[in-house]
Amino acid sequence: MAGSGGMAGGQVTVARLVPWLIGLVLLWLLLTGGEPLSWVIGLPAIVAASWSAVLLEPPNVKTFSLVGLLRFAPWFLKASLLASIDVARRAMAVSPRLNPGLIVYRSRLPEGAPLVFFCSCICLLPGTLTADLRGAELSVHVIDEALPNEQELQRLEGRVARVFGAKDGDHA
């Protein structure tokens, strides 16, 4: 179906619909514990929400790679745990080693879901916070300006790019 009347997304295709359906089905299972009677409400809601999401998402949005996401999750959990330990050590030290500041980072990710996901991941890693986003330029608050923050952001950006199906070294 072609989108019209100001709809952003254009055509509803199986390739664009399936990730939404899978994601919302998994969310529904998590929320309801798989209760069979819940599907009376859940199934129509999932189909309607998925269809609407595809119609409303911009036509140039990149969909995520399930394999990329499955590879990203364990890395992100480990990185988050290690960063949490580092922040706690710094904050609890007799003389805390804190040198906070703002750095500017220019992302090579396309606008939309990949860039928003990247910014969200930055905020979820302890010691960092996306303070501003203007186009592809991010202002990131860091706990210590002396750390290799730019290299860490590049590493995270590469992993996020792979979540959205990019090959190594291909961010756009």
Side-chain angles (χ1 to χ4, degrees):
M1 288 181 68
S4 60
M7 292 294 184
Q11 291 208 261
V12 175
T13 63
V14 172
R16 292 178 70 203
L17 195 59
V18 167
W20 282 104
L21 288 169
I22 291 171
L24 291 174
V25 163
L26 292 174
L27 179 62
W28 190 260
L29 285 169
L30 182 69
L31 292 173
T32 66
E35 175 63 39
L37 286 177
S38 73
W39 291 103
V40 172
I41 294 170
L43 190 58
I46 288 167
V47 170
S50 298
W51 195 274
S52 298
V54 170
L55 284 175
L56 295 173
E57 71 185 3
N60 63 346
V61 74
K62 292 194 174 209
T63 57
F64 71 91
S65 157
L66 185 57
V67 172
L69 187 61
L70 291 174
R71 288 181 178 159
F72 177 80
W75 174 86
F76 182 79
L77 291 173
K78 180 182 174 187
S80 186
L81 177 65
L82 293 175
S84 297
I85 292 168
D86 179 59
V87 169
R89 253 184 328 120
R90 289 170 182 274
M92 303 302 258
V94 174
S95 56
R97 297 177 336 217
L98 302 175
N99 183 22
L102 277 177
I103 62 169
V104 176
Y105 181 79
R106 184 144 186 88
S107 175
R108 296 185 301 149
L109 292 168
E111 288 188 22
L115 189 56
V116 170
F117 186 70
F118 178 54
C119 291
S120 298
C121 289
I122 290 170
C123 291
L124 292 174
L125 288 173
T128 57
L129 172 75
T130 305
D132 193 22
L133 173 63
R134 294 180 192 261
E137 191 173 276
L138 293 79
S139 294
V140 180
H141 181 272
V142 296
I143 197 166
D144 188 345
E145 286 185 303
L147 293 174
N149 295 300
E150 187 159 339
Q151 290 88 344
E152 290 299 319
L153 290 172
Q154 287 171 346
R155 189 173 297 127
L156 174 60
E157 182 180 44
R159 290 186 176 272
V160 168
R162 288 189 293 280
V163 168
F164 287 90
K167 305 291 184 246
D168 286 333
D170 175 27
H171 287 62

